[in-house]
Amino acid sequence: MNGLALFGAMEGAVSQGVLWGIMTLGVYLTFRILNIADMTCDGSFALGGSVCATLITKGFNPILAVFVSAFAGVIAGLVTGILHTKLKIHEILAGILSMIALYSINIRIMGRSNIPLLGVDTMMTKLQSLFGLSPNLTSLIIGVLFCVLLVSLLYWYCGTEIGSCLRATGNNPHMVRAMGVSTNKMKVIGLQISNGLIAMSGALVAQSQGYGDVGMGTGTIVVGLASIILGECIFSGLIKKLPFWFLLTSVIFGSIVYRIIIAVVLQLGLKSSDLKLLTAVIVVIALSIPVLKANIPQKRKERPEAN
């Protein structure tokens, strides 16, 4: 294995891991906090990239384009929330319906299946030309800045009265309803914030990779879950009780670890067409670790009894 090529691959993996980590924050909000498996994310990630690429090619400010893309994701989350809470459609089916609809909507937004960003100014190209940085380092700096800002805002928001109700909705919805708070409203707010973050991540990834594509969100939910589980498995072994801000940070580190694993395996000769299989294997292994840890002490206790 070429050491220089491996270093370059690792650098790219870390920068992409940080940008995709914002998406992982969105998935964490629904999957862990609200206990909802939201399938909208595959469509809302591509929605963010589509909106951002379209706006930039029309001369829109690339920074503002990111926030407009995030707002588009908020609308997508609102639609899923209404389908689930008002029309009583199951949460998974509601997300799938939104995801399917967004595929056609994203093509409508772009006018075709993809939009290249070659020759136009993006956040990445502006920072590169200003400071003479490499593309990977530029993506890393921008990703870290956004991650720090978003983790801080999420930590603050979840400490407010509405944020506390949002966290309690996934943990104990009966208690929340007994307090006179609408759990349906909390679910809709959570889905909006989640898909806003996912779309923002899609916008940043589109600027980093240099194009927006209708298929760029395929498998996003699996990548997000793999990153969350990896982050939790790694850091739960180091610290028994993780503070909430550290939980938010751990999922971003999980995204980085996931990208590093993918980069190393690709350098070892694995075909890119096998990445979905590798992702599934990573998720299975990460999910089985807590079960294996719980079984080991029990087996040790049973051994003396058998003797």
Side-chain angles (χ1 to χ4, degrees), residues 121-143:
D121 286 333
T122 65
M123 292 171 62
M124 315 301 172
T125 56
K126 284 186 175 182
L127 199 62
Q128 286 174 44
S129 59
L130 195 61
F131 297 102
L133 302 173
S134 66
N136 286 334
L137 185 57
T138 305
S139 298
L140 179 61
I141 292 171
I142 291 174

Side-chain angles (χ1 to χ4, degrees), residues 46 49-50 53 110 113-117 206-207 209-216:
S50 302
M110 293 187 290
S113 61
N114 61 73
I115 292 181
L117 295 175
Q207 292 194 41
Q209 65 188 12
Y211 64 90
D213 187 85
V214 71
M216 64 186 289

Side-chain angles (χ1 to χ4, degrees), residues 116-199:
L117 295 175
L118 299 174
V120 296
D121 286 333
T122 65
M123 292 171 62
M124 315 301 172
T125 56
K126 284 186 175 182
L127 199 62
Q128 286 174 44
S129 59
L130 195 61
F131 297 102
L133 302 173
S134 66
N136 286 334
L137 185 57
T138 305
S139 298
L140 179 61
I141 292 171
I142 291 174
V144 168
L145 289 174
F146 270 87
C147 283
V148 170
L149 175 63
L150 292 172
V151 167
S152 301
L153 286 174
L154 275 176
Y155 180 69
W156 167 80
Y157 180 77
C158 288
T160 62
E161 185 176 347
I162 297 177
S164 298
C165 292
L166 182 68
R167 294 176 66 184
T169 297
N171 195 22
N172 194 339
H174 299 293
M175 184 196 73
V176 174
R177 282 193 289 267
M179 294 171 60
V181 178
S182 171
T183 54
N184 284 341
K185 184 179 179 181
M186 292 299 105
K187 286 180 180 179
V188 172
I189 291 174
L191 287 166
Q192 285 181 287
I193 297 173
S194 170
N195 284 282
L197 291 171
I198 293 167

Side-chain angles (χ1 to χ4, degrees), residues 51-125:
V51 171
C52 186
T54 302
L55 290 175
I56 290 175
T57 52
K58 294 185 181 298
F60 210 74
N61 184 287
I63 298 176
L64 291 177
V66 172
F67 291 99
V68 173
S69 302
F71 181 71
V74 169
I75 296 174
L78 175 63
V79 172
T80 302
I82 290 173
L83 290 175
H84 173 51
T85 60
K86 300 298 183 183
L87 301 182
K88 305 302 178 185
I89 299 174
H90 191 275
E91 57 198 35
I92 295 178
L93 182 56
I96 292 173
L97 291 172
S98 297
M99 177 185 67
I100 293 170
L102 282 171
Y103 184 87
S104 299
I105 291 170
N106 291 337
I107 294 178
R108 283 280 186 178
I109 290 170
M110 293 187 290
R112 51 186 187 272
S113 61
N114 61 73
I115 292 181
L117 295 175
L118 299 174
V120 296
D121 286 333
T122 65
M123 292 171 62
M124 315 301 172
T125 56

